[in-house]
Amino acid sequence: MSRLDDARDRMIVALDVADTQKATALVSQLGDSVSFYKIGMELVYGGGLDFARDLAASGKKVFLDLKLHDIPNTVKKAAAQVSRLGMTYLTVHAFPQTMKAALEGTQGTGTKILGVTVMTSYDDSDLATAGYAMGVKDLVARRAQQAKEIGIGGLILSAEEVTAMRALIGSSLDLVTPGIRPAGAAVGDQKRVMTPGEAIKAGATRLVIGRPITDAQDPKAAADAVAQEIAAALG
Ligand code: C5P
């Protein structure tokens, strides 16, 4: 794989749109510049599951961001169904039972499980209100250790957590980070952002980038610029 192809493989474009017409238009506009897409609940519940399967069948990698959490039997069977759709990543909440069940359901398939440690919308007081004795930092570390012990594929976490997490869990897990903004891009509702190069240098395996590419005047050029920046950071 050339360095630029490797860079493109590390850039996951978030298809945060409500319907498959918009998603189809974006994918065709982005063409060969993007090889990996994230599809979340909005598009899936808007009829996007077949779209996700077809996108994977067309040769793109697809990250299905469904954040599963249910009893183990249900999670195992749901994760197995997702693997049959040809998905590369599937998210689950990083509870030990849930991670183990999802791993069982996808064992021997091409689908990797990513754990969501603590939602970034939660702070220490939200956790206390929800009945947790730990603050965010400690709970993230605990769940990351459990994810490693259970052997899931990786974690999704904010870019600012990447350095500490790499030190804590080593190189075995994929660390996938949103909150990425190329220099000069609008920050929007993201509170803490990193550039693509910074996040890769901090130890991120892959980056999730939405609006800086999908809302750009020329999305393909924006994607190419991000890939070039990642390639430079990999160099
Ligand atoms: O448009 P933007 O680049 O901010 O999109 C980032 C993507 O990553 C969105 O799909 C968003 O839901 C997701 N995400 C995030 N922050 C988290 C978890 C997920 O931005 N903590």
Side-chain angles (χ1 to χ4, degrees), residues 14 16 38 120 178 181 190 208-212:
D16 291 327
K38 178 169 92 73
T120 47
R181 291 291 178 270
Q190 296 283 8
V208 174
I209 309 185
R211 290 161 289 179

Side-chain angles (χ1 to χ4, degrees), residues 14 16 38 65 67 119-120 156 158 178-181 187 189-190 208-212 214:
D16 291 327
K38 178 169 92 73
D65 189 12
K67 298 188 177 69
M119 304 294 304
T120 47
I156 182 145
S158 68
I180 301 298
R181 291 291 178 270
V187 172
D189 54 3
Q190 296 283 8
V208 174
I209 309 185
R211 290 161 289 179
T214 55

Side-chain angles (χ1 to χ4, degrees), residues 70-81:
D70 206 314
I71 59 169
N73 182 55
T74 305
V75 170
K76 180 179 170 182
K77 288 180 174 164
Q81 294 281 41

Side-chain angles (χ1 to χ4, degrees), residues 42-222:
E42 182 186 13
L43 185 54
V44 164
Y45 298 147
L49 202 53
D50 287 348
F51 171 83
R53 187 198 51 209
D54 294 348
L55 191 58
S58 80
K60 302 294 183 188
K61 288 184 179 171
V62 183
F63 167 178
L64 206 57
D65 189 12
L66 295 183
K67 298 188 177 69
L68 302 184
H69 187 203
D70 206 314
I71 59 169
N73 182 55
T74 305
V75 170
K76 180 179 170 182
K77 288 180 174 164
Q81 294 281 41
V82 167
S83 72
R84 286 183 204 110
L85 298 173
M87 301 295 107
T88 298
Y89 283 138
L90 166 68
T91 42
V92 305
H93 285 280
F95 288 80
Q97 279 190 356
T98 304
M99 292 191 281
K100 278 182 202 152
L103 189 61
E104 277 177 37
T106 52
Q107 206 91 63
T109 74
T111 303
K112 274 192 180 185
I113 300 299
L114 293 183
V116 181
T117 54
V118 177
M119 304 294 304
T120 47
S121 55
Y122 275 67
D123 62 18
D124 289 348
S125 77
D126 293 312
L127 286 181
T129 304
Y132 287 84
M134 278 180 184
V136 171
K137 201 160 171 271
D138 291 341
L139 190 56
V140 167
R142 184 187 181 99
R143 289 181 169 172
Q145 286 285 10
Q146 291 168 334
K148 186 182 172 187
E149 280 159 27
I150 291 165
I152 64 167
L155 297 168
I156 182 145
L157 73 184
S158 68
E160 64 168 13
E161 292 169 323
V162 167
T163 305
M165 205 51 72
R166 268 286 170 238
L168 187 71
I169 60 163
S171 59
S172 58
L173 271 70
D174 288 0
L175 298 183
V176 179
T177 68
I180 301 298
R181 291 291 178 270
V187 172
D189 54 3
Q190 296 283 8
K191 294 210 173 83
R192 290 173 295 273
V193 297
M194 272 194 192
T195 67
E198 286 168 348
I200 290 289
K201 285 190 180 135
T205 312
R206 291 196 165 93
L207 317 177
V208 174
I209 309 185
R211 290 161 289 179
I213 291 174
T214 55
D215 288 357
Q217 256 185 349
D218 183 345
K220 193 173 166 68

